[in-house]
Amino acid sequence: MDGFCMSRRKVAAVALVVLWGLVIHVGEPFDSMGTGSPLWRKTGLIGAPTRAVVCVVAGISLLILGWLHRLLFCPLELLRSPDDVGYIAEDGRSRAQAANEVRRRRKIGELPPIYPNGWYRVMDSHMLQVGDVKNATVLGEQVAVFRGDNGKAYVVDAYCPHLGANLGVGGRVVGDCIECPFHGWQFRGEDGKCVKIPYAEQVPEFAKVRRWTSCDVNGQILVWFHCDGLEPTWNVPEQQEITRGDWVYRGRTEHFINAHIEEIPENAADIAHLAHLHTPGIVSGVDLRYTNSKTWEFIRHDWKVKWEPESDPNSHCSRMLVKHSLTVFGRHWPLMDIDVVARQVGPGVVFLLFEHSFFGKGVIMHCVTPLEPLLQCVSHTIFYQANVPPLVPKFILRAECIQFERDVMIWNNKKYISKPLLVKEDSAIQKHRRWFSQFYSPGSPRLAYQHDTLDF
């Protein structure tokens, strides 16, 4: 779908160039009579001003058609930068300055370990074609991600053990190996072992790069992390509708959250916040200073939510059941009633399963990946029934994005409280914290200092 949309954009660009060529070619004879091209002569549109107007109208029409095509058929992709959302820029400051000031001055609180054990998304599968090499950051580490000629995706440590060149920057794929851009050492994706040194008689047995346990499932490439180096004790379930192609990719959003990873999934158990933060209609936007404006109070979202952990053998999973309804001017709109099952699998992956009697079925893959101790990359990738017009899942994803960005404004400015003051109606929060603690081990890394220096 991405390639299809890209080719259409190229065609539109070429058409615009041709039209502009017609405009600037005015006055140059196209035939021996000097009256312009046969097309212009036959239609009687010989005058330069008329030709220019026709070309401009045609160009605008192409732009409108291109916009309509993107709206109706191309995936929705909203990729936010770290300072785009959740910060208030005042007194002439830029958003980046506001974000950096918040990061420097905010009290962090007594934090749990920073990297829970589990599976984490590195990138979407369609972003890595055969022969591609990408550099990525995950759990405070730089990794090289590549897809071998055999079609398999591999993840290894980015830095070559020889002299430290980054394999993900300038490296290339050779068979099922990645070749270092500095000296040509080749490392096998399957186990990280060095299999070739172009100028050496033999390869040392100990020459290898760390290979990350990874999987390519549900249109995503994920890696396994365990602080003690243990192998996976559970796997990310395969969504069969995606594998079979019944549900197709319709877009993704990406945000960067300045908070501890546990803050984000804890929202599922914080039922009370839905009525306060997410009841105002999405038309009121994401800036919490204005979402409760009387201008937009005619449209309201209503939520009924229940969160529960699952039992063995799926104790690493939890489930949130959501019933959404919409009222406009006090009248209930049944068409907008949507049931959502949010199933969390480990600390970093959530399946948001949608089902609607008219709009069909689909899933949003909600993934949280720690880049640094207090910087999370959160992606929402939507797959939806192939026979449902793309505009439907794109609207769902856009609505989810608006609601999510309201949470971002909270997360980016809050302090983690290890012993919160709760009332009995908040009991699910403490229950969630007990459930989430299973992803920490005695050796799980903790934040060793209270100030991180990365500026946006």
Side-chain angles (χ1 to χ4, degrees), residues 146 153-157 188-193 208-215 223-224 231:
F146 68 99
Y154 301 102
V155 182
V156 297
D157 275 356
R188 193 163 54 207
E190 197 66 42
D191 54 13
K193 180 173 173 52
K208 63 187 305 183
V209 67
R210 176 191 175 193
R211 177 194 66 89
W212 290 64
T213 299
S214 62
C215 66
V223 293
W224 169 261
E231 288 300 308

Side-chain angles (χ1 to χ4, degrees), residues 69-128:
H69 179 265
R70 288 193 299 273
L71 176 67
L72 297 175
F73 301 109
C74 292
L76 173 67
E77 297 197 336
L78 297 172
L79 312 179
R80 307 300 196 194
S81 65
D83 61 322
D84 269 349
V85 180
Y87 300 103
I88 298 175
E90 295 178 324
D91 302 325
R93 295 176 302 170
S94 67
R95 283 199 302 265
Q97 289 172 325
N100 289 328
E101 187 172 332
V102 168
R103 287 170 64 88
R104 284 191 295 266
R105 295 183 177 180
R106 187 183 65 174
K107 291 186 180 296
I108 295 174
E110 185 181 341
L111 298 174
I114 50 177
Y115 300 142
N117 303 320
W119 288 98
Y120 296 99
R121 170 189 173 273
V122 181
M123 64 181 60
D124 288 350
S125 299
H126 73 265
M127 298 165 63
L128 192 74

Side-chain angles (χ1 to χ4, degrees), residues 77 87 97 187 246 255 285 291 304 319 355-356 403 442:
E77 297 197 336
Y87 300 103
Q97 289 172 325
F187 299 92
D246 298 338
H255 296 82
T291 51
K304 292 183 179 179
R319 190 177 294 260
E355 183 171 357
H356 192 278
Q403 294 285 15

Side-chain angles (χ1 to χ4, degrees), residues 150-401:
N150 57 7
K152 292 184 179 180
Y154 301 102
V155 182
V156 297
D157 275 356
Y159 299 115
C160 179
H162 177 215
L163 285 174
N166 192 319
L167 302 174
V169 181
R172 71 186 185 100
V173 172
V174 180
D176 63 346
C177 300
I178 186 170
E179 183 181 85
C180 176
F182 201 7
H183 297 88
W185 289 34
Q186 294 179 7
F187 299 92
R188 193 163 54 207
E190 197 66 42
D191 54 13
K193 180 173 173 52
C194 182
V195 296
K196 181 180 179 181
I197 302 175
Y199 53 87
E201 292 184 2
Q202 64 180 24
V203 178
E205 189 65 30
F206 55 83
K208 63 187 305 183
V209 67
R210 176 191 175 193
R211 177 194 66 89
W212 290 64
T213 299
S214 62
C215 66
D216 193 344
V217 63
N218 302 326
Q220 297 182 323
I221 299 168
L222 304 103
V223 293
W224 169 261
F225 169 81
H226 194 287
C227 63
D228 300 322
L230 301 181
E231 288 300 308
T233 53
W234 44 270
N235 293 311
V236 176
E238 184 177 18
Q239 191 70 41
Q240 292 295 330
E241 292 87 347
I242 298 176
T243 305
R244 294 195 303 263
D246 298 338
W247 294 357
V248 296
Y249 173 75
R250 293 303 190 196
R252 70 184 174 102
T253 64
E254 186 174 270
H255 296 82
F256 295 91
I257 314 299
N258 181 26
H260 187 277
I261 181 175
E262 191 173 333
E263 299 266 29
I264 299 169
E266 188 171 284
N267 256 26
D270 184 6
I271 297 169
H273 96 283
L274 289 168
H276 189 76
L277 195 65
H278 298 294
T279 290
I282 59 174
V283 291
S284 63
V286 302
D287 192 325
L288 303 184
R289 294 172 295 175
Y290 312 116
T291 51
N292 283 299
S293 168
K294 290 186 178 297
T295 305
W296 305 108
E297 65 181 6
F298 66 90
I299 181 169
R300 313 291 282 179
H301 301 279
D302 294 310
W303 311 89
K304 292 183 179 179
V305 180
K306 182 181 180 181
W307 179 88
E308 288 288 344
E310 296 186 18
S311 57
D312 287 333
N314 295 320
S315 57
H316 60 279
C317 300
S318 67
R319 190 177 294 260
M320 179 175 69
L321 307 178
V322 181
K323 289 186 176 294
H324 167 270
S325 60
L326 184 73
T327 57
V328 181
F329 293 111
R331 295 177 63 89
H332 174 220
W333 283 38
L335 186 63
M336 300 305 294
D337 289 353
I338 299 178
D339 292 335
V340 181
V341 177
R343 187 177 192 234
Q344 177 151 3
V345 182
V349 179
V350 180
F351 293 73
L352 293 170
L353 291 156
F354 293 83
E355 183 171 357
H356 192 278
S357 58
F358 180 74
F359 294 122
K361 300 178 182 179
V363 64
I364 291 180
M365 298 300 302
H366 164 102
C367 298
V368 185
T369 301
L371 305 184
E372 298 177 357
L374 296 179
L375 185 64
Q376 319 299 325
C377 177
V378 181
S379 65
H380 293 88
T381 305
I382 190 166
F383 295 88
Y384 218 80
Q385 280 182 241
N387 59 351
V388 173
L391 200 58
V392 171
K394 288 171 67 174
F395 173 79
I396 292 173
L397 182 62
R398 189 70 180 89
E400 165 67 18
C401 179

